[in-house]
Structures are given as structure tokens and as C-alpha cells.
Amino acid sequence: MSLLEEDTGRKQIAQRRRMDFILHILFVICTSIGVLALMALMVDIIMDGIMRFAPDLFTNYPSRRASQAGMKSAIVGSLYMLLIMAPLSFILGVGAAIFLEEYAKKNRLTRLIQLNISTLAGVPSIVYGILGLTLFVRGLALERSLLSGALTMTLLVLPIIIVSAQEAIRAVPKARRDASFALGATKWQTVSRSVMPSALPGVLTGVILALSRAIGETAPLVMIGGLTYVAFLPESILDSFTVMPIQIYNWISRPNEAFHELAAAGIIVLLIMLLLMNFAAILLRNKYQKNV
Amino acid sequence: MRSETIQPSKEMGKLVFKNKKNHMLDKIVPILLFLCAALSIVTTIGIVITLISETYQFFQQVPIMDYLFGTKWSPLITPTSFGVLPLLSGTFMITVIACLVAIPLGLASAIYLSEYAPKTVRKIIKPILEVLAGVPTIVYGYFALSLITPLIRTIFPDMGVFNALSAGIVVGIMIIPMVCSLSEDAMSAVPRSLRDGAYALGATRFEVALKIVVPAALSGIVASAVLAFSRAIGETMIVTVAAGATPKLTGNPLESIQTMTAYIVQVSLGDTPHGSIEYGTIFAVGMTLFVITFLLNILAQYVARRFREEY
């Protein structure tokens, strides 16, 4: 190799190394934009809302005067909605997952259901709002009630719960089932006493994460609940309701700046609630990983 | 001993009964579980029937051609006009802006996390992206209105409070985590040996990333981009809060527009009487939205499966 060739070869390598370095920096910058966006969002909301993050927010009902407004009915509404949704979506979602993983034969119907679930997960949430409006609000004449909202949200989160529960059930080793069958247990005994206890932490993690998505979901509930002025706590599941995201949307959509501060304070409450739920899910997940 | 075998004891009677109970459970339970699973099919059928029947009634009153190719959308103000193109163009503009933000940033983050980042950094960044994915959209809406819009207005002072640019950027930020995690999954499925082969030939890290890993994971990356597009089309609250409520055919992202989703929210907030033509517009627009996102989701699944390289 001549000296000249060796020189250009070295130059080329140096250039490629430089390129590698530049791209490395570029990738780091791109990744940090996501992180920075999250920080900007948090700082923006806390700066705007911290002044209104006071007991009044939790004890007062919504009001036309920003200085007196609170979100008591919205917080209670969200909690009630969770209470109705949690058992419904748990039973239906986990039931479907058990069927698909343990009972279903590998035939066309099973494939259709599976494909259908993954398709449903991609349907925009507003379309569920349209379904809920037609089916529950008008069709079953449940009106704009807590129950209509909870049923709609249950349908919305079911695909997410089914998919995560399926993963958790699939992760249970086959030996566990074989051992149970070898002891003479029936199919359902095996599933209910051997497979499910082992899969439960994973299943619960999925359910909690799905519910935390539901609690922040706005669009379908705005369609069903409307921006109604709710200055009372719902006493039955057929009462009209409001939830935190609807109340926040209501405040954001007013031109008055004072309401925007309230919205930010409301968002802080919502985010704290989400944080708690995610924390619970992470705790469960860690426990789960230790067991396996 | 003998007497026990001849005369069935109470214990055995219980056992027989228990077995019967178990037998029954084993017959009933699968049916109940199947009903749970079948609910998903019922949901889909419910969505489709709802949309089709109401949309059909709507098209009895409004010619379908006027709907699909009309350039003016003003269903609530007389003289009414039902051309969906302004809503489609608004949706499209938001989606394009969002994808311009989310796909490059999401893909770059995925490459960084999968090829460059040390384990400790991954452990910090991944949960942060998960949090970003879990933030409710109404929060992003507030973020667009209170921070991004004023920020853009320092550059374009004549821009209105409601505009497509700010909403589009924030929708993009919202879907970064989705693009990132799906692409990263695809990239981490590329076998180690391919990378090692390239490194052994003296390739640098970016050469391995861009010339080996990305092409090998391309089907997954494209699928994630298509899903991102579909997600941006269906996004509702950010655009409702930040993009305005003025349906118009425009190419200017600094103007206020209206998307299909935002229109549905706007109408359902008002007291539109059931059965009126305004009420029907919800379903026609919802049907349009459903068909578009459905086709895109099918396309994403097709791309991911059809072009996957098996190793």
C-alpha cells in the first residue's frame, strides 16, 4: 500500500468516526427533547396551578366565580366511575383472556376474536363516545348518567385489559398446569387455583394501568356527560355526573385566565391520582418479577 | 376396612357430589368465558351498526357526493352545507405536523435507546417515556394552549390563539413514546449476530445502526409510523382545545382549523335534538374517521407481518 492510499484510508476512518460522534450527539438531543417536553409540561402546570391547589379545590363545587370554584363533584364522580368500572372490566377482561389462552381452540373464530381485539384497541376513543351515546344514553335510555359513562369506558379499556391479561397468563409455565392435572384437578380447578393465582399480579398491573388510562380519558365522556353543571354528588348510578377531565376541559375552554389557573390545579390533582395508580402498578410488577 | 368399602361413607358421598359440582363448573365456565370474549365482537358489531344505520339516514337527506367532495362545512348555520373536505384537510394538517415531529424524534430516540444508550440511561429514559405516554390528552391540550402557543407567537406574532401548528406539535409530542417503543421493539428483535458481523468488518456504531439494524427492522418501524399516523387522526382533546373550531380549507398551519374529532365533540356538547340532520353529521363524520383509522390499522398490521424478515 502506498503512503498516499494509507493516508486517504486514515482520513476516511477519521471522517466515519466523526460522523458517528455527530450522530450520537444528534440522537441524544432527539431523545432529550421528549424528556424536556415532559419537564416543561410539569413545570408549566405546577407554576400555573400551585396557587389554586388548596383545600377549596377539593371541598367546593364548580361555580361561575373562579375564586369560589372547586372540583369536589368531579373528583367524586371520577372515583365513582372507577368503582363501577373496576369490577366490570376486571371480570369481563380477565374472563375473555382466560378463554382465549386456556380454553379456545385454535380455529377461525378464535383468530377472528383475537384480530378483532387488536383492531378495537386502535379505534379512536371518540368513536366509543358515539357508540355509548347511541347504545347506552339513547338505546337503553340510561340518559347522560354515571352508568352510561362507566359502561362506555368499560368497553374502551377492555381490549387493553384483555391483551395484558393474556400476556400474564401466557407467562405462567406449562409445568404448573401439568402438575395440577396430574393431581386429578379438572380444567377449571387448574385455571382457577393454579394458573390464575400465579398470573394475578401481572393481570392486576394491566388492569390498574388500563384504569389509569380511563381516568384521564376525556373525549368519550364529554360526549356522554356533556359539560353539564354538576353542583351535587351523584346519589345513584343513574344521576348525571362530571369527572375530573371534563371539569378541567370546562375550565380550559373559558376565556377567563382565572379559570385556566383552576384548570392547572385540577390537572395537578389528576396527575397525582395517575401517579399513585402507576406507583401501585409498578409495585405489583416488581413483586411479580421476584416470584418468577 | 371392609365395611367402609361396602357402605359408602358420608365422606364419599360428599366427594361424589363435589365431582358432580366440578363437572358442572367445567361445562358452564367455558361458556361464560366465551361470552366475555365474544363481547369484543359484539362491541365491534355495535360500532359498525350504529355508524352505518345513522350514516345511512344522513345520506338520505344529504347527497353522498356533496358530503365527500363539498368544500364548505357549515352544518349548524343556515344556509347549511355539508362538504367534509375542510374537516378532512384540518385533520390531515394536524396529522402531518404531528408525524413530522413524532416520527423523526421517536425513531432517533429508539435508535439511541437500542444501539447507543448504556443500561443505566435506558433505565432512566424508558420510564420517562412511559409517563409521557400516560399523560391524559386533556393535559396536553392545556400544555399546547398555555405554553406552546405563546412560544410560537413570539416568532409569529400575528398568529391567533387557536392554530393548527401548536396543536399539531403537541399531538406529535404525545405520540413520540408510541413510535419510540414500537420501533425499539422491532430493533431489539434484530439478532445480535448481525450487529457483531458488521462490527467485525470495522463498521462504526452509526453504520451498524443505520445500515444494518434499521433496514432489518424496517417493517416494524414502518408499522409504527402508520400507527402513529392513525393515532394522530383520532386524537381529540388536544385539537379541540388548541386548534379552534373553524372548519376551513387552508394550507396555512398558523390559522385556526377544525378536525373531524373536534367537530364531533363540538356538536355533542350542544343540545342537538336526536334525529335532526345536525345529529346525523356526528355519525357521518364518525364513520369517516372510523373507516380511515381502521384501514390504517389494518395496513400497519399487514406491513408488520408481510415484510417482517425472519432470522
Side-chain angles (χ1 to χ4, degrees), chain B:
Chain B
M1 277 302 258
R2 219 175 173 193
S3 64
E4 270 176 41
T5 45
I6 294 168
Q7 294 177 335
S9 68
K10 266 189 182 170
E11 282 294 305
M12 270 183 86
K14 259 187 200 162
L15 259 174
V16 171
F17 174 70
K18 216 175 168 190
N19 271 337
K20 249 188 198 158
K21 196 182 111 200
N22 281 330
H23 193 64
M24 256 172 44
L25 266 179
D26 261 307
K27 283 210 162 146
I28 298 169
V29 164
I31 298 172
L32 292 178
L33 294 177
F34 171 74
L35 290 179
C36 292
L39 183 66
S40 78
I41 301 269
V42 177
T43 309
T44 311
I45 294 174
I47 290 177
V48 171
I49 288 182
T50 306
L51 289 177
I52 288 182
S53 66
E54 299 273 348
T55 307
Y56 178 75
Q57 283 177 17
F58 174 75
F59 284 130
Q60 299 288 35
Q61 300 171 61
V62 177
I64 191 163
M65 285 301 162
D66 288 7
Y67 174 77
L68 287 178
F69 301 107
T71 54
K72 190 160 179 281
W73 180 261
S74 64
L76 305 177
I77 309 155
T78 42
T80 53
S81 170
F82 299 96
V84 79
L85 283 182
L87 291 183
L88 270 178
S89 83
T91 305
F92 190 67
M93 193 194 301
I94 295 283
T95 308
V96 168
I97 297 171
C99 285
L100 286 178
V101 172
I103 293 176
L105 288 180
L107 192 54
S109 314
I111 294 176
Y112 176 71
L113 287 177
S114 127
E115 305 301 316
Y116 284 84
K119 244 188 183 165
T120 45
V121 176
R122 275 175 58 98
K123 265 198 171 160
I124 299 168
I125 304 250
K126 285 208 91 173
I128 292 181
L129 287 177
E130 269 175 44
V131 172
L132 207 54
V135 172
T137 54
I138 184 74
V139 179
Y140 280 113
Y142 181 84
F143 180 58
L145 201 61
S146 75
L147 193 70
I148 302 295
T149 299
L151 220 60
I152 300 174
R153 278 173 104 175
T154 58
I155 308 169
F156 303 105
D158 338 325
M159 192 182 72
V161 175
F162 302 111
N163 62 86
L165 184 61
S166 160
I169 291 174
V170 175
V171 173
I173 293 174
M174 183 197 80
I175 52 183
I176 287 176
M178 195 183 92
V179 177
C180 176
S181 79
L182 289 176
S183 313
E184 206 215 329
D185 286 348
M187 286 190 230
S188 54
V190 174
R192 179 89 233 152
S193 58
L194 251 80
R195 293 189 182 86
D196 290 343
Y199 282 128
L201 291 172
T204 59
R205 253 190 312 192
F206 95 90
E207 285 165 342
V208 172
L210 294 189
K211 295 181 183 165
I212 306 292
V213 179
V214 169
L218 200 61
S219 69
I221 293 171
V222 173
S224 82
V226 176
L227 280 180
F229 200 84
S230 151
R231 184 79 179 276
I233 289 179
E235 169 39 45
T236 309
M237 290 324 286
I238 299 174
V239 288
T240 306
V241 167
T246 34
K248 64 178 119 163
L249 262 178
T250 171
N252 182 359
L254 301 181
E255 283 186 53
S256 156
I257 50 109
Q258 187 166 40
T259 64
M260 294 189 281
T261 50
Y263 171 76
I264 297 174
V265 170
Q266 187 202 349
V267 172
S268 59
L269 286 183
D271 279 325
T272 326
H274 176 63
S276 67
I277 192 158
E278 293 87 355
Y279 190 77
T281 56
I282 299 182
F283 296 89
V285 175
M287 180 85 185
T288 316
L289 180 70
F290 178 72
V291 168
I292 295 175
T293 51
F294 182 78
L295 290 178
L296 283 172
N297 290 344
I298 298 280
L299 177 71
Q301 284 183 10
Y302 175 76
V303 168
R305 208 171 307 146
R306 174 72 178 72
F307 298 103
R308 180 186 295 151
E309 303 207 16
E310 300 283 353
Y311 298 102

Side-chain angles (χ1 to χ4, degrees), chain A:
Chain A
M1 211 194 281
S2 76
L3 226 78
L4 197 73
E5 270 177 14
E6 200 173 297
D7 199 40
T8 49
R10 257 192 208 140
K11 262 188 192 155
Q12 212 194 0
I13 288 176
Q15 208 186 347
R16 282 166 56 205
R17 290 236 170 98
R18 212 174 308 132
M19 191 72 188
D20 187 43
F21 180 72
I22 293 170
L23 275 171
H24 190 166
I25 302 288
L26 195 70
F27 289 146
V28 171
I29 291 172
C30 286
T31 310
S32 41
I33 287 178
V35 178
L36 285 177
L38 184 67
M39 274 156 63
L41 188 151
M42 294 294 172
V43 170
D44 177 43
I45 283 161
I46 292 174
M47 298 268 281
D48 287 355
I50 199 71
M51 292 302 291
R52 295 304 306 267
F53 188 73
D56 277 0
L57 191 67
F58 298 91
T59 54
N60 287 11
Y61 287 109
S63 160
R64 222 168 300 166
R65 262 165 280 166
S67 56
Q68 290 170 10
M71 58 189 312
K72 183 178 179 182
S73 51
I75 294 173
V76 174
S78 277
L79 290 177
Y80 281 169
M81 182 136 303
L82 265 188
L83 280 181
I84 304 173
M85 274 182 65
L88 263 181
S89 56
F90 179 84
I91 293 170
L92 293 173
V94 176
I98 295 176
F99 177 79
L100 289 170
E101 285 303 312
E102 301 289 330
Y103 286 91
K105 297 184 185 72
K106 285 213 175 353
N107 56 19
R108 196 174 276 181
L109 181 65
T110 311
R111 267 205 307 278
L112 180 72
I113 294 178
Q114 197 71 65
L115 185 72
N116 183 51
I117 288 169
S118 56
T119 314
L120 274 181
V123 172
S125 60
I126 188 92
V127 173
Y128 283 95
I130 297 178
L131 176 70
L133 194 65
T134 323
L135 189 63
F136 301 127
V137 176
R138 312 244 181 234
L140 299 180
L142 298 173
E143 299 304 321
R144 295 178 177 275
S145 66
L146 202 55
L147 186 61
S148 295
L151 289 176
T152 309
M153 294 311 281
T154 303
L155 291 184
L156 176 78
V157 297
L158 265 183
I160 313 172
I161 292 183
I162 295 175
V163 170
S164 65
Q166 273 185 289
E167 273 166 24
I169 294 172
R170 215 174 298 148
V172 177
K174 191 169 178 298
R176 240 189 128 98
R177 296 179 182 88
D178 292 342
S180 170
F181 285 133
L183 291 171
T186 63
K187 182 91 188 173
W188 175 241
Q189 282 174 327
T190 305
V191 169
S192 62
R193 295 187 206 167
S194 179
V195 177
M196 283 324 284
S198 164
L200 201 61
V203 170
L204 283 177
T205 308
V207 172
I208 294 175
L209 288 179
L211 289 179
S212 79
R213 164 150 179 222
I215 210 172
E217 193 64 65
T218 319
L221 286 178
V222 166
M223 287 197 74
I224 286 165
L227 285 187
T228 36
Y229 170 75
V230 181
F232 55 87
L233 300 183
E235 283 179 354
S236 92
I237 53 172
L238 292 175
D239 281 351
S240 61
F241 69 103
T242 187
V243 289
M244 288 194 281
I246 294 185
Q247 188 60 58
I248 293 166
Y249 172 52
N250 185 328
W251 283 334
I252 291 178
S253 58
R254 290 171 193 232
N256 187 345
E257 271 299 317
F259 279 108
H260 287 194
E261 287 171 13
L262 266 174
I267 288 174
I268 297 177
V269 179
L270 181 64
L271 289 180
I272 289 176
M273 200 144 160
L274 284 178
L275 216 63
L276 288 178
M277 290 175 78
N278 276 284
F279 191 62
I282 289 169
L283 279 184
L284 267 169
R285 193 192 294 173
N286 287 347
K287 191 178 169 225
Y288 178 52
Q289 277 167 349
K290 259 178 229 153
N291 279 352
V292 169

